[in-house]
Amino acid sequence: MRRDLFGDEHELFRSQFRRFAEKEIAPKVAVWNERGMSDRETWRRLGDEGFLGVSAPEAYGGAGGDFLYDAIVMEELSDLRAHGIMVSLHSNICRPYLETYGSEEQKQRYLPGTVTGEIILGIAMTEPGTGSDLANVQTRAIRDGDHYVLDGAKTFISNGQIGDLFVVVAKTDPQAVPPHDGISLLLVEAGTKGFVRGRKLDKLGLRGQDTSELFFQECRVPVSNLLGQEGRGFRMLMEKLQQERLCIAVASIASCRRTLLDTIDYVKERKAFGRSIASFQNTQFRLAELATEVEVGRAFVDRLLVSHVRGDDIVAEVSMAKWWTTELQKRLSSECLQLHGGYGFMREYPVCDDYADAAVQSIYAGTNEIMKVIISKRLGIA
Ligand SMILES: Cc1cc2nc3c(=O)[nH]c(=O)nc-3n(C[C@H](O)[C@H](O)[C@H](O)COP(=O)(O)OP(=O)(O)OC[C@H]3O[C@@H](n4cnc5c(N)ncnc54)[C@H](O)[C@@H]3O)c2cc1C
């Protein structure tokens, strides 16, 4: 079905990005998956070509485009299974904190480097003892003169090894009631004394990403690196989660499509009982159903993209899309693996990684159970 949300400029951008990604990213996917992380050269190349700053403000080196350009980058990277390079985390999840809440001095210092790819961003919310219950973070940032002394441990942090600058969630007032009123956001440079990178974690899927532990040991962060106001961190996080979850839904639908199309090719080729697998009515019905669900999901996500660009409050709808598309992705990759028979279980067939990569989609950026808590609250029943 023709999608009517993208204009000619968007489509031109898509073909430019696709050409770049096929040449400079696709050949590296297997290397990153083997090594467990992407490489700085590719980040710099993305920056050189302007792909990290499509929606960043022009005053700081960006192109000032709308979020649809970013959605195109997400779709094309998902289509190439280039999950190792977390462009959306960098450009659409982390950088908006700087763009919206950063002081002029912080913007001048950091934004241009995020556009060129010299500064790679990450966000450190989750801790070993708390993930969903964000208000319960134990990392502390206690004021000492013109510094905060940051102490604590974070885990599952994407870009944890390669990242240069992290938005860190910490309690500046551990006694605050309610607890989320004590939360602030700090910009922490990776070179700061007391900033320690821990293990790069061994994962089921997304093997090209450097998901890591981070530690802060009496890490002195200048007060000038406080993002926004002290005690407003939780609210800032809530305001930005709409976009973060929309990114997941966009990537999920694009991944579903890739897996589906590859599976259609496979069942046409593979033979059993002297016929193609595709000729069995079970195969046709399964793929017909999945193709229907992908179209339904994409129509919903496209609708949300338009609303998001317009600036609507669509927190509940984005939460619906996040849980629904990621559950679809998990089910679709499992069913497509089944249609591959034993070959689906072999890593040389992409559906094998698709199945493993899908598992996390319902967990990060807020679990699907938390999405349903949010929707229930908006329905007035929780
Ligand atoms: C690959 C990967 C990358 C990640 N990247 C980042 C990152 O860059 N930065 C970052 O800060 N974090 C990151 N995370 C962490 C991620 O956001 C958390 O794992 C997630 O929020 C869940 O927290 P948790 O793992 O502590 O699970 P828990 O909160 O312990 O949840 C365990 C289970 O309990 C359920 N549960 C919890 N509370 C409720 C409730 N109220 N009602 C119903 N069920 C509930 C959950 O849904 C889940 O099923 C990443 C995680 C992974 C796996």
Coordinates of all heavy atoms in Angstrom, one line a residue, residues 30 97 137 177 222 234 264 277 317 370-371:
A30 N 27.9 -8.1 10.0 CA 28.4 -9.4 10.5 C 29.6 -9.1 11.4 O 29.8 -9.8 12.5 CB 28.7 -10.3 9.4
Y97 N 17.1 15.3 24.8 CA 17.3 15.9 26.1 C 18.1 17.1 26.1 O 17.8 18.1 26.7 CB 17.9 14.8 27.1 CG 17.0 13.7 27.4 CD1 17.0 12.5 26.8 CD2 16.0 13.9 28.4 CE1 16.1 11.5 27.1 CE2 15.1 12.9 28.8 CZ 15.2 11.7 28.1 OH 14.3 10.7 28.4
V137 N 15.7 4.6 41.6 CA 17.1 4.6 41.3 C 17.9 4.9 42.6 O 17.5 5.8 43.4 CB 17.6 5.5 40.2 CG1 17.1 5.0 38.8 CG2 17.2 6.9 40.4
V177 N 10.2 13.3 48.9 CA 8.9 12.6 48.9 C 7.9 13.4 48.0 O 7.8 14.6 48.2 CB 8.3 12.6 50.3 CG1 6.9 11.8 50.3 CG2 9.2 11.9 51.3
P222 N 30.7 18.6 37.1 CA 30.4 20.0 37.3 C 28.9 20.3 37.4 O 28.2 19.7 36.6 CB 31.0 20.8 36.1 CG 31.9 19.7 35.4 CD 31.4 18.4 35.8
F234 N 12.7 13.3 36.5 CA 11.7 12.3 36.2 C 10.6 12.8 35.2 O 10.3 12.1 34.3 CB 10.9 11.9 37.5 CG 10.1 10.6 37.4 CD1 10.8 9.4 37.4 CD2 8.8 10.6 37.2 CE1 10.0 8.2 37.3 CE2 8.0 9.5 37.1 CZ 8.6 8.3 37.2
I264 N 9.0 -15.3 2.5 CA 8.3 -15.5 1.3 C 9.3 -16.1 0.2 O 9.0 -17.0 -0.5 CB 7.5 -14.2 0.8 CG1 6.4 -13.9 1.8 CG2 7.0 -14.4 -0.6 CD1 5.8 -12.6 1.6
I277 N 7.4 -25.4 -0.5 CA 6.7 -25.2 0.8 C 5.6 -24.1 0.6 O 4.6 -24.2 1.3 CB 7.8 -24.6 1.8 CG1 8.9 -25.6 2.0 CG2 7.1 -24.3 3.1 CD1 8.6 -26.9 2.7
E317 N -1.4 6.1 22.9 CA -1.4 5.4 21.6 C 0.0 4.9 21.2 O 0.1 3.8 20.7 CB -1.9 6.4 20.5 CG -3.3 6.8 20.6 CD -3.6 7.9 21.6 OE1 -2.7 8.4 22.2 OE2 -4.8 8.4 21.7
I370 N 4.6 -2.5 31.4 CA 4.5 -1.1 31.8 C 3.7 -0.3 30.8 O 2.9 0.6 31.1 CB 5.9 -0.5 32.0 CG1 6.6 -1.2 33.1 CG2 5.9 1.0 32.2 CD1 6.0 -1.1 34.5
M371 N 3.8 -0.7 29.5 CA 2.9 0.0 28.5 C 1.5 -0.2 28.8 O 0.7 0.8 28.7 CB 3.2 -0.6 27.1 CG 4.5 -0.4 26.4 SD 5.1 1.3 26.4 CE 6.2 1.3 27.8

